[in-house]
Amino acid sequence: MPGLDLSTLNPPQREAVSTQHGPLLVLAGAGTGKTRVITFRIAELIRRGVSPERILSVTFTNKAAKEMLERATQLLGNKGARKKPVISTFHSLCVKILRDEIEVLGYPSRFAIYDRGDQESAARTALRDVRVADNAMRPADLLNVISKWKMAGIPPDRAADFVENDQEFLAAVAYRKYQKNLRSSGAVDFDDLLLLTDQLFKHHPEVLQRQQQKFDYVQVDEYQDTNGVQFRLVEALVAPHKNICVVGDDDQSIYGWRGAEVEHILGFDRHFPGAKVVRLENNYRCTDKILDLANRLVKHNKGRHDKTLIAHKSSEHPVRFAEFESEVEEAEKLVDEIKWLIEEKNFPSSSIAILFRTNEQPRVFETELRRRDIPYVLVGSQSFFDKKEVRDLMAYLKAIAFPQDDISLMRIINTPSRGIGATTVEKVSTRAVQQGCPFFVAVDEAFKAGEISQKAADAIKQFEQLLDSFRKRSLSSPRQLADLVHELIQKIDYDAEIARQYKDEAQQVARKEVLEGFVSSVSDYVQQAETPSLYEFIETTALGGREEESNKEDQLAGQGVKLMTLHSAKGLEFPWVYLVGLEEGYLPHRRSVEDASRKAIEEERRLAYVGITRAKDYLTISRAGTRKKWGKTRLSLPSRFLHEMKGEAAPPDVAAAIAQAEDAAAVGE
């Protein structure tokens, strides 16, 4: 097989690739070549006679899945040209399963996938329906609680059993209504993709059996990031054969706040008895000085697999620790240095990253970078698909593709204005809820009851006819989707909506460029798709927008110093890294310090470890002695992690704060 030379792997990598059967845990430390191991293992399975489509490899982002497929295909050469392994994100895999099987749960096979904006509208409706006042619970708060329950596998009818306070009691009531409204609209939210698949596997054994029979080998990347539902899905799929290989690093488990459970990777051998464990400890990214620091820090965590990263790069440059009087001085001095690196040392600005813990920290750095005219990119800022114009157009396409989707319809029924007022919409919506029918069906009844005028009824009917005509054309001419969207923009006169929203001519031009970019995105999709359809475009956009920040790759490719949170930086690497704000309350974060549990602090320590191991050659770690909060200057304590990574004892004031937190944790545990 062209390109498949196992001698290019180091001994632990080769052992992982050559272990084909039974449960296998590959502990892949930062920069140890885990993607290389996963792709070589796929190729080796195929070389030994396994049919490619019998191999499933699951990861967390579209970018990772795409990279994995490209590298595996390259290794396979001609032998893998016709049949390919199934390499997918968790959510994409569940969409495929649900498209085939969801009807047994009472949903249509062509269901809509709600994005965050749709969810907030549905949550607002649910709270109103169960008469929860606006000041008692916001839609975003409800969605956070619902997401927590869904990721724990808790359906609406069981949520009341898990209520911990009065607000969650309200959430449990609203959760039932929220889910009922989604089902009646033929829609699911992002968490449902996992939860409903889990329910299918749990309550419909024939469905599970069909899915189990598709794959003989299953691999899971970034296993430390799996939540409870994802773990159960994987466990169910491999139950007949136990041919499961998971790759991950417990030291990089930093997503506990969104449901990830590090216990899955720590307890792998308990869940899969007889599991083989292979440790990848040879790091090819960082210098010895950087790794010494990282190893020393992470060893303070008690809940971890024992491993030590081994450096393959030596350097004369030690890690630099910098202390400043204030956060303003921290930004000024570090940006001065960055300017010197770029202008005097010809260091490319795009190879420098400033990493921070919270979203408020980059403000002072942005100010200084602008003042010195240094190009920069704030990675993780608003996605293209989050812009108002794009969200409006997506709502149009959803209303066209899914006639039952009243949430999307409500967003655009009078955008741009077509004489359908809020009072008219509310009266028709109320009747639709009372009669349990779609919005458009309720129009005639509302008119007959004298609730809306003839003019309003006619305007709604004309809008329904517009959507229906575009629906028919989207089905008959899927290859012309981009032209169709362009015509839709003209037909509804969206330019008039832009002129109404923005009085400044430059802003109007910028917003019209957003429309142009959206049409181009539809065109790109059509060119790449084998059998394009409006449904698939909406689905692809929904998955891409939620599985990863859809514009993050473009931001990273652009010129300029990269500013990003530690969570956004995971999986990336830069020649020169500034890890800023190493203070108690920032890293570790105030919430974790107040939580006072070992588990919370250990995740913060892993976050610091992730930050350190993003640096390839040069690393500066800084802190400020004072920071402004609510306009007042406050003293900052140096982070406990600074002393741990240096191998020093913490000074008395920090030690006292840590001891107090540990005492509280002991009481809590």
Side-chain angles (χ1 to χ4, degrees), residues 214-413:
K214 290 182 179 180
F215 306 109
D216 297 322
Y217 296 87
V218 175
Q219 295 188 145
V220 184
D221 186 22
E222 303 285 8
Y223 190 67
Q224 76 280 351
D225 294 336
T226 53
N227 60 37
V229 177
Q230 288 161 336
F231 169 76
R232 285 198 301 277
L233 292 176
V234 170
E235 191 178 39
L237 281 174
V238 303
H241 51 70
K242 299 291 194 298
N243 290 328
I244 177 172
C245 167
V246 303
V247 183
D249 182 10
D250 48 292
D251 289 334
Q252 295 186 75
S253 179
I254 59 173
Y255 295 116
W257 51 275
R258 68 182 190 197
E261 297 178 31
V262 70
E263 289 77 13
H264 294 155
I265 195 167
L266 294 178
F268 184 77
D269 55 351
R270 291 197 306 276
H271 299 299
F272 298 96
K276 183 173 185 176
V277 180
V278 176
R279 288 172 167 78
L280 305 184
E281 297 174 301
N282 293 280
N283 176 287
Y284 301 96
R285 175 192 300 160
C286 312
T287 68
D288 52 348
K289 306 291 192 303
I290 292 168
L291 283 190
D292 284 348
L293 207 70
N295 285 327
R296 204 153 43 230
L297 172 67
V298 81
K299 284 187 187 300
H300 285 267
N301 275 359
K302 295 175 182 175
R304 68 184 292 265
H305 286 286
D306 184 38
K307 54 191 173 302
T308 302
L309 292 183
I310 302 162
H312 281 251
K313 283 168 58 176
S314 59
S315 172
E316 296 176 0
H317 301 283
V319 174
R320 186 161 65 101
F321 293 91
E323 296 184 6
F324 302 98
E325 284 189 13
S326 67
E327 79 263 45
V328 172
E329 188 187 30
E330 180 184 42
E332 286 176 346
K333 293 290 175 63
L334 294 184
V335 171
D336 272 342
E337 180 174 297
I338 289 170
K339 188 176 178 66
W340 178 77
L341 287 171
I342 295 169
E343 294 183 356
E344 302 298 326
K345 294 297 182 180
N346 297 316
F347 224 84
S349 61
S350 56
S351 60
I352 302 169
I354 302 173
L355 309 183
F356 39 84
R357 174 64 179 89
T358 69
N359 286 315
E360 68 195 69
Q361 288 172 271
R363 180 186 56 80
V364 286
F365 285 94
E366 286 193 82
T367 300
E368 294 304 319
L369 288 163
R370 285 178 179 175
R371 194 161 69 84
R372 289 163 176 77
D373 202 24
I374 299 172
Y376 72 91
V377 179
L378 185 59
V379 178
S381 55
Q382 188 186 41
S383 163
F384 174 78
F385 286 93
D386 283 334
K387 295 180 188 295
K388 179 190 181 296
E389 295 76 21
V390 175
R391 291 180 62 77
D392 284 348
L393 291 178
M394 284 301 299
Y396 269 97
L397 297 186
K398 289 174 186 175
I400 289 167
F402 307 105
Q404 289 177 281
D405 185 358
D406 285 350
I407 292 291
S408 295
L409 181 64
M410 291 304 99
R411 180 181 178 95
I412 46 90
I413 194 165

Side-chain angles (χ1 to χ4, degrees), residues 30 86 92 117 134 160 162 183 232 399 536 593 597 602 628 643:
V86 179
S92 294
D134 292 346
F162 296 88
R183 185 192 290 257
R232 285 198 301 277
E536 189 185 67
V593 174
S597 70
E602 289 200 350
K628 278 194 175 179
H643 308 291

